[in-house]
Structure formats: structure tokens, C-alpha cells
Amino acid sequence: MIKALSSLRRGGWWRHGFLALLFAFAAAWGAMAQAALPTPGAPDLSARSYVLLDNTTGQTIVEREPDRPVPPASITKLMTAYLAFEALESGDIAMDDEVLVSENAWRMGGSRMFIEAGKTVTIEELLQGMIVQSGNDAATALAEYIGGNERSFVSQMNATAERLGMEETHFENPTGWPAEGHLMSARDIATLLSRLIHEHPDLYRYFRQKSYTYNGIKQYNREKLLFRNDWVDGGKTGHTEEAGYCLATSGARDDMRLIAVVLGTDSDEARNNQAEALLNYGFRHFEAVAVREGGETLASPRVYKGESDEVPVGLDEDLSVLVPKRQSDELTVTLHLDSLLTAPIAAGDRVGSLRVAFDDDTIAEQPVVALEDNPEGGLVKRLTDSLWLWWDE
């Protein structure tokens, strides 16, 4: 059972007969009392840095140097894909747009989809060539088309990284080709992949595509976990001598989606094994617990000078948290409301917060908002409530 307390900081409520509100959460996770098992330690990995993130709650399960900026190699193409997806959904570009391949794109070294200078290729073909085949030529052609030129597109990449809160990221190109100052952290990569999945779920399907044939050349997705586990649905690999072997990937099992990022391993096999170990660890030992639904009334606190004496308050979106399995009874949920709410109040106005703690540590906090409008009352009501406020002081 989830323990729940409510703290209503509202001066003078005892004068009007208001009682503190106590939440009672039903025990929805098993009828039999069961002692919580200790959660085993996380896998011992050799990766330079890594992070395992729950995609729904945003909670980090395990990490090593997650904020260390390192060369990301072709994982960079996650941002190129993100900007392409944004352009598609905004209508700036279309899947059937034909892109004239520049000599600059054609000359790109490293992994390629083998487009040819002077010929046209569609946006959809370039996306598959970049995501499935990891083509540097495809990523460059997309950047030139969307940004007008490669340098302008890179500026968009850096502006978007800043907007997404990717504090340890800086791009020099759209491919991940080695360049001084071209860096990302494991946490930033996980943030980017999470946003890509949340915001573009239909286009994310390209990341689980196992092969793509262009110009008569069939290439297989470099992410081997797609071929090992049907619950893995893709991300992006990367490799350069400086970066080592890197992988950002995601998988969904048991109504959970996790994101694993491993950077700086010493082989293709190592990056796949270590990312898989992180994902298996998360699915095996943790579970998501629904705390409260968005739009559900949590309380109806006193409002002064309004048409109504109360306003229903709650969360504007569902709140879930991740906890070790069989330990959900250690959760404590506390409602904090602002003191002396005064009209006018509009639906959506923040009036407090809901905090969730596990083992005395806060693991989630979400704003509590008004669920309905409460405009100002008439003159008599405002004057009467002003007297009550004076008395409460």
C-alpha cells in the first residue's frame, strides 16, 4: 500500500472548521503482504559512461559519468533525425520531396548509403539511408536540404540541444564525423532519444527497421539488439577511434519503456552486450507505479473573493514513478497547497505541488493546478472575504 499524507499550509483554516486532507491509496499491487527483496547491484560495465533511463517517468535507474561530454560518433544522427521529423510534421518538408545530391554529400566518407552527386533522392529514402544504414552522405544531404546549407543546419542542431536542456552537447556537423568540440553526454543522448520517441512515435518506426536496400545495395541495421530481442525497437550506433563503440537504444516490456546509452566500449559486441545488460536489469528489478491521474480532484481548498468558496485542484497529467519491484508500499505522497488562494483563479493556474518520496528521498514532484475557473465574486463577497482575511492574519 502506498503511504499518503497531505500537508495543507493554509493559515486560519482551523477557525472555519477545515480539517487536514489525508489521501488513502488502495493497495493495487498484490493482496498478500510480502517482504521487499533487496535490489541487486547494477551490472558492472566497462563503458566509459552510461545511463539507464525510464522513458515514462524520466527517472534515472543507474548511471556512470552521465554528464561527461565525449565524442558521440554517429549517435549524432539522432539530432539530425529529430530535426527532420520536426520539419516533416510542421509541413516544411514532405516524404516525397526530391533532394538534389550535392558533391559535398556524395564525397562524405565513412558509412554511406551510396547516393550519387547530381541525382535526386527522396526525403524518405534519405531517412532510411541515415537511420538504418548510418549513411553520412544521407545525413549531409538532409542537413543541406532542411537547413539550406550544412552550417545553418548545425546551428539549428545546437539551438535545439539548448532548448531540450542538453547542457553537455555541442555539434560541429550533422553526422558525428570527428571534429574538435563535437561532444555529447550520455544523459543528453538519453534525453534526446526520449524526446524523439515521445514527440514522433509514428516516425520512430524507422529505427526498428532491420535492413534497407538502395542503389542495389542491401545493408543491415548496425544495432544487433534488434535481431536478438523482439522487444528492442531501436536507436543509433556510433563508432570512431576516439569515441569507441557507442549505442543508444530503447526497449519496451511489461508496460515499461527504458532507454540505455553506453559510450566508449571497446567493440561492437561489447556495446550490444552492455546495453542489453542495462535494459534487462531495469526490466527485471523495477516497476512503474501509477500515483495519480491527470484531471482527478485531489482537494477542494478554500478560495477567497471568488464566485465559489472552493476550487477543485489536481494534476494536469498522469503521474507515475519507478520503484524497485515489491517496494511500492515505501512510497509517501504529500500534497502541498499555497496559502490563501484568492480569486480570480483560472483553470491551469498552479496552486501547489504533489511530491512523491521513496525511502525519504523525493523522487518526483509535479505541479498541482486549478481544474476549474473561479472568477471574482461580487462586491459584497469580496468585502466579506477581505474581513475574513484580515481576521486570519
Side-chain angles (χ1 to χ4, degrees), residues 82-354:
Y82 182 84
L83 289 178
F85 292 171
E86 284 200 326
L88 283 164
E89 297 200 344
S90 69
D92 289 343
I93 63 174
M95 283 292 192
D96 57 1
D97 283 1
E98 293 191 344
V99 178
L100 182 64
V101 178
S102 70
E103 186 168 341
N104 178 51
W106 171 70
R107 287 188 179 277
M108 285 301 302
S111 54
R112 304 173 64 195
M113 74 173 286
F114 299 104
I115 52 180
E116 300 177 57
K119 294 188 176 182
T120 58
V121 58
T122 67
I123 291 291
E124 185 169 24
E125 289 170 328
L126 288 173
L127 280 174
Q128 292 175 94
M130 178 182 70
I131 294 171
V132 182
Q133 300 175 332
S134 197
N136 291 328
D137 50 357
T140 302
L142 280 168
E144 291 175 341
Y145 185 75
I146 297 169
N149 59 66
E150 186 175 343
R151 183 45 51 190
S152 293
F153 186 82
V154 171
S155 294
Q156 293 180 35
M157 295 173 73
N158 285 315
T160 302
E162 183 176 357
R163 174 169 60 85
L164 299 182
M166 299 166 59
E167 297 180 354
E168 304 299 335
T169 290
H170 178 77
F171 298 110
E172 289 291 331
N173 57 64
T175 64
W177 194 258
E180 185 176 355
H182 189 105
L183 303 167
M184 300 180 77
S185 69
R187 193 188 308 280
D188 284 354
I189 293 168
T191 295
L192 176 57
L193 183 52
S194 179
R195 292 292 292 265
L196 190 152
I197 293 168
H198 274 301
E199 297 173 21
H200 308 288
D202 293 337
L203 294 169
Y204 175 59
R205 63 186 170 85
Y206 287 108
F207 286 93
R208 65 175 66 96
Q209 188 172 326
K210 293 182 178 179
S211 67
Y212 180 58
T213 301
Y214 179 80
N215 205 15
I217 302 170
K218 183 176 184 178
Q219 297 187 63
Y220 290 91
N221 198 311
R222 288 162 170 75
E223 185 181 339
K224 304 297 173 46
L225 295 186
L226 288 171
F227 302 89
R228 292 188 192 177
N229 305 289
D230 59 7
W231 47 267
V232 171
D233 45 19
K236 192 71 194 72
T237 61
H239 172 249
T240 63
E241 183 175 349
E242 185 179 9
Y245 290 83
C246 308
L247 175 60
T249 190
S250 179
R253 278 166 47 186
D254 304 325
D255 298 322
M256 288 174 57
R257 175 175 292 281
L258 302 180
I259 290 173
V261 178
V262 293
L263 304 176
T265 68
D266 58 10
S267 70
D268 178 36
E269 187 72 5
R271 69 180 169 192
N272 289 301
N273 289 344
Q274 293 183 33
E276 185 177 39
L278 284 176
L279 292 171
N280 281 328
Y281 170 75
F283 288 125
R284 171 67 181 84
H285 297 295
F286 294 84
E287 64 180 341
V289 175
V291 176
R292 269 306 197 229
E293 294 182 359
E296 178 183 358
T297 298
L298 303 181
S300 295
R302 174 77 158 93
V303 175
Y304 292 93
K305 303 182 182 182
E307 284 188 354
S308 172
D309 287 335
E310 298 179 345
V311 64
V313 301
L315 306 178
D316 58 2
E317 58 184 25
D318 295 347
L319 175 61
S320 297
V321 295
L322 202 72
V323 295
K325 286 187 176 179
R326 297 175 293 278
Q327 295 188 38
S328 60
D329 59 342
E330 296 301 316
L331 287 175
T332 302
V333 183
T334 311
L335 175 66
H336 298 270
L337 292 179
D338 299 340
S339 59
L340 300 178
L341 297 180
T342 305
I345 294 175
D349 285 352
R350 178 168 180 161
V351 295
S353 63
L354 191 73

Side-chain angles (χ1 to χ4, degrees), residues 44-85:
D44 184 18
L45 307 183
S46 64
R48 181 186 306 167
S49 60
Y50 55 81
V51 64
L52 178 64
L53 179 79
D54 177 61
N55 192 56
T56 300
T57 66
Q59 289 173 252
T60 298
I61 299 173
V62 63
E63 62 186 27
R64 173 191 286 170
E65 297 195 63
D67 299 312
R68 177 182 178 181
V70 297
S74 282
I75 288 179
T76 297
K77 292 165 185 158
L78 287 176
M79 179 60 85
T80 305
Y82 182 84
L83 289 178
F85 292 171

